[in-house]
Amino acid sequence: MAEIHIRPLTPGDVPAASLLLATLNPDTPEHVIRQRLGTILTDHPHYHLLGAFSDESLAGVAGAWVATKIWCGRYLEIDNLVVSEKHRSSGIGSQLIARLEALALELDCNVLTLDSYVSNPASHRLYHRLGFEIWGFHFIKPIGDWKGRES
């Protein structure tokens, strides 16, 4: 397997990142994901987007929010970690998380947090193996006309 290089993604990487993120969010069209990712990168300077590259190909992507909550203080929330199907079980997810943990320490964060779809048990095994614990539930209440699917 080729060596993996992790780096912050640039605006030129957004199309490839959007395609990869669409595999994690199959009910949301890729053009909507691309638009939302562009908005996040433009409007939220505290958002970090990393890519894992195998050769010159984007093999994995992970975003991260840095914020503060009453219960834990400063934290880093891992957002939308996904590895291409071709590269799964090769350590890329672990490498992305390790890089984000190092970033969290640099930014004086107290905890790492993440959400994982209940339908993704493979990710749960990874997160448990890397020391994450389940501390609660993430509740969702769709409002207005939103039903969880975008067109």
Side-chain angles (χ1 to χ4, degrees):
M1 172 158 279
E3 186 176 340
I4 301 301
H5 300 285
I6 297 175
R7 65 166 172 80
L9 295 183
T10 66
D13 297 316
V14 168
S18 297
L19 288 171
L20 197 48
L21 289 165
T23 65
L24 186 63
N25 301 280
D27 293 332
T28 305
E30 186 272 332
H31 74 275
V32 173
I33 291 170
R34 186 181 301 199
Q35 181 273 325
R36 289 177 180 168
L37 186 55
T39 298
I40 290 168
L41 294 172
T42 300
D43 293 354
H44 302 282
H46 56 283
Y47 188 81
H48 302 267
L49 187 62
L50 299 179
F53 290 83
S54 175
D55 296 322
E56 297 300 315
S57 175
L58 184 63
V61 65
W65 300 94
V66 176
T68 301
K69 290 190 177 187
I70 297 297
W71 73 270
C72 65
R74 194 166 172 84
Y75 70 98
L76 184 140
E77 178 182 355
I78 298 172
D79 184 45
N80 290 303
L81 186 143
V82 61
V83 175
S84 71
E85 191 170 338
K86 173 184 171 184
H87 293 93
R88 290 191 185 140
S89 297
S90 66
I92 290 173
S94 297
Q95 290 178 49
L96 284 165
I97 290 172
R99 179 66 63 87
L100 290 170
E101 185 171 348
L103 176 63
L105 289 168
E106 288 174 26
L107 297 173
D108 295 322
C109 294
N110 297 315
V111 297
L112 295 177
T113 68
L114 60 83
D115 288 333
S116 179
Y117 295 127
V118 294
S119 61
N120 191 352
S123 72
H124 306 161
R125 287 188 296 276
L126 170 67
Y127 301 141
H128 282 295
R129 191 170 63 247
L130 296 177
F132 288 84
E133 302 171 4
I134 298 172
W135 281 24
F137 296 99
H138 190 99
F139 289 91
I140 303 292
K141 179 182 179 182
I143 57 175
D145 293 335
W146 193 78
K147 301 298 179 202
R149 299 183 192 274
E150 296 290 332
S151 55

